Amino acid sequence: MKLRWLMYRYHFRAQCRENMDPKQLFREALPVLQLQTRMKELEACQLSLFHFGTQLFLYYESPVQSVDPHELFAHCEDALEIWPGMSSARRWVPMIDIFHYHKPVSEKQWLRQNASARPYARIAHLKPDQVASYVFYHYQYQEEKPGDGDKYGLIALHENLMFFYSEDPATIEKPSYSGKLSTSHTPPDWAGTMEPHFIPWDSSDGSSRIWLEIPLVIRA
């Protein structure tokens, strides 16, 4: 019997200890070639690590369901804060996929055609009392209009902080599957409907932004 092809998408959040430089920690303590060797052993691919101050946001993919980021970055354990809530110490907490433009359904369909595409990420804060509304609208949009944006774009949530992963230039193509909803209730004024859900970031020039782009630390 032929096994069904699977690809799991992983997204985690971590917090560096005070006075730690994420770039120095992850670029110098673990050279990319060494990280790539570890990724090959664990069957991880398409890894990108971003930061906002001392906060870290990690994305990678694997055909294996249990690729632990603690194994990928074992050398950095002491530099990361411990997150409460589990009986064992954890430095990386999983973020929940609340929206994606496409889902991987076959090896051929998910293969990246543009090797030069650059991973990028943005973060945003939701108003706590608007989280359920935001998730509702996005699930509706995802299943009514699959493939409406970058093929590899997704939004992951932890607490009320969102991590939007995507690649540039975007890959726009019609999905090879239908969404789970046959309705057409996605609001036509999407931006206007979404704006009340957010806590804006205050920028140095006095303007407010909803999505804040964050720097890439590692790509492997």
Side-chain angles (χ1 to χ4, degrees):
M1 182 178 68
K2 185 178 180 180
L3 295 177
R4 186 166 68 93
W5 181 88
L6 294 171
M7 180 62 77
Y8 298 95
R9 309 183 73 185
Y10 293 87
H11 12 77
F12 292 89
R13 182 183 178 191
Q15 177 73 41
C16 286
R17 296 187 185 277
E18 288 295 325
N19 302 316
M20 295 299 302
D21 181 349
K23 292 183 179 180
Q24 183 177 18
L25 174 65
F26 286 90
R27 288 180 180 173
E28 297 179 10
L30 182 66
V32 170
L33 288 177
Q34 187 177 340
L35 174 60
Q36 289 174 333
T37 299
R38 194 171 293 178
M39 289 169 59
K40 186 176 181 179
E41 293 170 352
L42 297 171
E43 297 186 64
C45 60
Q46 302 295 336
L47 184 147
S48 299
L49 179 69
F50 304 85
H51 85 100
F52 175 63
T54 56
Q55 296 186 66
L56 300 168
F57 299 89
L58 175 64
Y59 174 86
Y60 56 92
E61 301 173 0
S62 177
V64 179
Q65 193 173 7
S66 56
V67 180
D68 191 337
H70 297 85
E71 294 183 55
L72 283 168
F73 296 106
H75 68 294
C76 294
E77 293 285 277
D78 292 340
L80 302 178
E81 298 284 2
I82 296 176
W83 289 83
M86 298 288 285
S87 57
S88 58
R90 57 178 183 164
R91 269 79 175 181
W92 299 92
V93 289
M95 304 187 79
I96 301 169
D97 177 351
I98 61 168
F99 176 79
H100 49 263
Y101 288 110
H102 277 251
K103 61 182 180 182
V105 295
S106 72
E107 187 173 8
K108 181 179 179 181
Q109 170 261 351
W110 197 246
L111 183 67
R112 285 165 171 79
Q113 302 295 333
N114 186 354
S116 64
R118 179 184 67 92
Y120 78 95
R122 295 180 290 172
I123 54 175
H125 272 124
L126 286 173
K127 296 175 182 176
D129 62 348
Q130 293 293 314
V131 172
S133 174
Y134 189 87
V135 172
F136 165 78
Y137 277 120
H138 275 72
Y139 180 78
Q140 181 174 258
Y141 176 22
Q142 170 185 294
E143 300 303 330
E144 287 186 347
K145 304 173 70 174
D148 198 45
D150 177 37
K151 180 176 180 177
Y152 304 103
L154 66 76
I155 299 174
L157 176 72
H158 178 251
E159 297 176 340
N160 71 321
L161 180 63
M162 294 188 297
F163 167 59
F164 175 45
Y165 171 86
S166 192
E167 297 176 7
D168 182 34
T171 300
I172 307 297
E173 63 182 52
K174 186 177 180 179
S176 58
Y177 60 91
S178 299
K180 295 179 180 179
L181 297 177
S182 57
T183 52
S184 300
H185 298 320
T186 299
D189 180 12
W190 182 255
T193 303
M194 289 300 105
E195 187 173 359
H197 291 76
F198 295 99
I199 302 172
W201 301 93
D202 291 326
S203 59
S204 57
D205 62 4
S207 63
S208 294
R209 292 174 291 176
I210 289 175
W211 287 99
L212 181 68
E213 186 170 350
I214 56 177
L216 177 68
V217 179
I218 294 175
R219 177 188 183 185

